[in-house]
């Protein structure tokens, strides 16, 4: 018998796996964001009559393909359709009262979906968790803002995420979940989204715990930088830099223009042209608009925003190699390039690179650049978030994935995205093979997945919280264990800078 559940918007019929895990796909949590709703906050879904089949993934948010070579390395799903504000649920017991985990996917705020097969929630449901994945508006449709005088709501992609969390609060009990034990977790742009949600007044109370993988609270744009991005987008499209002008642009043209802008930022990362996006390398990000996101998340969290939310945060050891090794950039980097990048990130000229050279004396210039960029993009934001949570009495736990991928003759190391199949315990999924090879250790998946489940269920992933003076970090790798204030000299080098 396929399970049928009755909700306030209508009934849904899911599927039942051989182990008794029920799955419900393509449940609308908001109305299709099309026509007059294209640049409007999410609205409630329309009710439906009869029983809605929830046996297949629904439409995904419109997006351009990943640029090469990422299109071959990062799994992507593209399902056309307007009703893409939908979510998917895996549950072991519709009559239970189980912890809930809500996954927010990554993709640089311009790619990705909750329908990637590697995000299948069967392993979480197997271990007593109700798992939810979702889609949200991407690119200009999700994060367009015209600047300080733009009175229209910003951060529509984040407002979509909040609408999904409100749906979870109101409906997840019917699927066996406890709405008072909700953990949001995400990777890359998904984690950066959670960093913003921690600071957003509208998200208060919608989740009790948060897991941020390879992203934290530093990646946002000011309203002024968002205006630079919007103006350039309008210029490429040949339309006025207004909401009506951009709203009237054909979708295919909008996606192509977004893809062109990403290439332009990478080729010419000039702050005069792009503002903060020149360093973040993403034209569309959460915008500090004084309304939906009143303060930069780092400031809001430092002041105590979401003080009662426990946090698990971390990164992979060689995050940035994903962006240097497959592209061949690592072989083209010179010492002068490393110095210019380090200085742009705020490190003191000369002395900053010398500190990294002392820490990694055998590193090539390309490897040294990746170490510095990994710290600036991922490691330091994770530590700063943990420090801020500890100061306000919330527990913060820090981890690092240190397992090196064998792909690209081992040059990738423990790169960006390497953690995802281990967290989901989905090592058999072929989508990650080009990035991680075929010899992915199950024992590592067992330990990481169990830690995430334990954190969602109890608030304790299994190691001491991060606090001074110990600064305990859990390493997941070929030799797992605990480290105390690892790379202290490099951490202190960034004090006051990042």
């Amino acid at each position: 018998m396929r399970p049928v559940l009755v909700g306030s918007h209508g009934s849904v019929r899911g599927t039942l796996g051989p182990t008794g895990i029920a799955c419900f796909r393509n449940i609308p949590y908001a109305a299709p964001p099309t026509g007059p709703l294209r640049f409007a906050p999410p609205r409630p879904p329309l009710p439906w009559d009869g029983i809605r089949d929830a046996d297949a993934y629904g439409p995904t948010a419109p997006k351009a393909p990943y640029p090469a070579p990422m299109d071959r390395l990062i799994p992507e799903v593209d399902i056309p359709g307007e009703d893409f504000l939908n979510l998917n649920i895996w549950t072991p017991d519709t009559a239970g009262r189980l912890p809930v985990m809500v996954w927010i996917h990554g993709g640089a705020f311009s790619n990705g979906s909750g329908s990637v097969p590697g995000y299948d929630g069967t392993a979480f449901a197997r271990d007593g968790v109700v798992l939810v994945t979702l889609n949200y508006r991407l690119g200009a449709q999700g994060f367009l803002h015209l600047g300080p005088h733009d009175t229209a709501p910003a951060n529509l992609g984040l407002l979509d995420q909040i609408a999904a969390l409100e749906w979870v609060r109101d409906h997840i009990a019917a699927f066996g979940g406890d709405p008072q034990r909700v953990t949001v977790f995400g990777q890359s742009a998904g984690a950066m989204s959670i960093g913003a949600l921690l600071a957003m007044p509208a998200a208060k109370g919608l989740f009790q715990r948060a897991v941020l993988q390879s992203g934290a609270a530093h990646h946002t744009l000011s309203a002024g930088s968002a205006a630079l991005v919007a103006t350039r987008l309008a210029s490429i499209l040949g339309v006025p830099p207004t909401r009506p002008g951009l709203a009237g642009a054909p979708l295919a043209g909008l996606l192509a223009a977004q893809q062109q802008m990403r290439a332009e930022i990478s080729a010419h990362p000039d702050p005069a042209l792009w503002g903060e996006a020149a360093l973040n390398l993403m034209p569309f990000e959460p915008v500090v608009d004084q309304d939906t996101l009143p303060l930069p998340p780092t400031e809001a969290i430092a002041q105590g925003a979401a003080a009662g939310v426990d946090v698990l945060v971390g990164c992979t050891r060689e995050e940035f190699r994903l962006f240097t090794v497959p592209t061949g950039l690592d072989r083209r980097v010179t010492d002068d390039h490393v110095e210019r990048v380090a200085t742009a990130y705020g490190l003191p000229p000369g002395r900053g690179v010398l500190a990294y050279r002392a820490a990694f004396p055998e590193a090539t210039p390309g490897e040294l650049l990746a170490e510095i960029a990994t710290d600036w993009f991922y490691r330091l934001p994770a530590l700063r978030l943990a420090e801020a949570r500890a100061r306000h009495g919330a527990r913060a736990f820090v981890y690092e994935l240190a397992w090196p991928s064998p792909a690209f003759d081992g040059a990738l190391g423990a790169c960006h995205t390497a953690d995802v199949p281990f967290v989901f315990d989905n090592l058999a999924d072929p989508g990650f093979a080009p990035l991680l090879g075929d010899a992915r250790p199950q024992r590592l998946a067992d330990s990481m997945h169990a830690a995430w489940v334990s954190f969602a269920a109890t608030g304790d992933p299994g190691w001491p919280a991060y606090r001074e003076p110990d600064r305990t970090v859990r390493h997941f790798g070929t030799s797992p264990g605990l480290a105390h204030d690892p790379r202290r000299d490099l951490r202190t080098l960034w004090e006051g800078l990042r």
Side-chain angles (χ1 to χ4, degrees):
M1 289 287 292
R2 291 174 58 189
V4 175
L5 293 177
V6 179
S8 59
H9 297 104
S11 300
V12 292
R13 180 188 289 113
T15 59
L16 192 65
T19 59
I21 292 170
C23 180
F24 300 83
R25 296 179 173 90
N26 188 24
I27 301 177
Y29 68 82
T34 58
L37 298 183
R38 187 176 187 185
F39 286 110
R43 306 285 175 84
L46 297 175
W48 57 87
D49 296 324
I51 299 176
R52 178 189 178 101
D53 272 326
D55 57 352
Y57 288 116
T60 57
K63 52 192 176 292
Y66 278 112
M70 297 304 160
D71 58 342
R72 301 190 301 274
L73 299 175
I74 300 178
E76 181 71 294
V77 171
D78 190 17
I79 304 173
E82 295 182 343
D83 201 359
F84 60 82
L85 295 183
N86 56 60
L87 51 78
N88 314 293
I89 302 171
W90 289 260
T91 178
D93 182 5
T94 56
R97 195 75 169 172
L98 301 170
V100 180
M101 298 186 74
V102 179
W103 173 252
I104 302 178
H105 69 79
F109 297 102
S110 293
N111 284 92
S113 79
S115 309
V116 170
Y119 304 155
D120 182 284
T122 299
F124 279 105
R126 175 200 68 201
D127 294 329
V129 170
V130 176
L131 194 284
V132 181
T133 69
L134 59 96
N135 298 321
Y136 56 94
R137 277 175 280 187
L138 302 170
Q141 292 183 294
F143 297 93
L144 176 74
H145 191 59
L146 299 178
H149 303 296
D150 187 0
T151 58
N155 298 312
L156 297 178
L158 296 178
L159 296 182
D160 292 343
Q161 296 170 14
I162 290 172
L165 289 167
E166 290 173 336
W167 189 97
V168 168
R169 176 196 62 198
D170 297 338
H171 300 282
I172 204 65
F175 296 83
D178 184 349
Q180 299 303 313
R181 284 198 293 166
V182 175
T183 298
V184 289
F185 72 130
Q187 185 263 349
S188 194
M192 296 168 190
S193 294
I194 294 170
L197 293 177
L198 287 167
M200 294 178 72
K204 186 176 181 180
L206 293 176
F207 53 91
Q208 291 69 49
R209 298 179 182 119
V211 183
L212 300 93
Q213 302 171 214
S214 304
H218 281 65
H219 285 79
T220 58
L221 298 181
S222 66
S225 294
L228 293 174
V229 169
T231 299
R232 178 56 184 151
L233 179 67
S235 175
I236 296 172
L237 291 167
V239 301
T242 63
R243 283 194 177 266
L246 289 163
L251 179 59
L254 183 67
L255 297 180
Q258 292 175 185
Q259 197 171 38
Q260 178 178 331
M261 282 204 306
R262 291 169 69 176
E264 288 180 357
I265 291 177
S266 296
H268 303 288
D270 184 351
L273 299 175
W274 306 107
E276 295 97 341
L279 291 181
N280 295 346
L281 300 177
M282 294 180 290
F284 297 103
E285 305 173 59
V287 179
V288 181
D289 66 335
Q290 310 304 316
D291 182 17
T292 60
L293 186 58
L295 291 173
T298 52
E299 293 183 21
I301 293 167
Q303 294 176 17
V309 177
D310 291 332
V311 166
L312 170 60
V313 62
C315 61
T316 68
R317 179 166 288 178
E318 290 96 9
E319 293 267 8
F320 208 75
R321 290 194 189 184
L322 175 63
F323 310 106
T324 61
V325 172
T327 61
L329 176 63
D330 63 318
R331 298 186 297 275
R332 301 191 299 269
V333 170
T334 65
D335 289 330
D336 179 65
H337 189 188
V338 176
E339 180 63 39
R340 284 188 284 115
V341 169
T343 303
Y345 287 160
L347 286 176
R351 185 166 64 87
V353 173
L354 284 176
Y356 274 87
R357 175 59 67 195
F360 305 100
E362 304 300 321
T364 66
E367 290 168 345
L368 211 60
L369 176 89
E371 291 292 345
I372 295 170
T374 291
D375 279 0
W376 189 86
F377 269 93
Y378 305 107
R379 183 174 293 111
L380 269 298
L383 296 182
R384 299 298 178 242
L385 178 60
E387 292 165 355
R389 308 310 292 147
R391 284 196 295 270
H392 287 281
R395 293 187 301 175
F397 302 88
V398 177
Y399 77 93
E400 180 181 82
L401 176 69
W403 176 79
S405 167
F408 291 86
D409 297 322
L412 279 177
C415 69
H416 192 65
T417 308
D419 53 333
V420 173
F422 295 105
V423 167
F424 275 83
D425 192 9
N426 280 342
L427 299 188
D429 182 81
F432 294 104
L435 186 68
L436 302 180
D438 295 323
R440 302 182 287 269
Q442 181 61 47
R443 185 167 61 177
L444 178 56
D446 293 342
S447 60
M448 288 196 79
H449 177 77
W452 268 235
V453 169
S454 178
F455 179 73
T458 69
D460 183 354
W463 64 89
Y466 188 91
R467 58 173 63 92
E468 296 184 33
D470 291 340
R471 296 179 178 268
T472 302
V473 176
R474 172 71 155 88
H475 283 174
F476 291 96
T478 52
S479 300
L482 299 179
H484 299 289
D485 201 5
R487 304 188 190 184
R488 179 182 183 278
D489 290 346
L490 296 181
R491 175 183 62 77
T492 56
L493 177 69
W494 291 92
E495 291 288 351
L497 302 175
R498 188 62 166 162

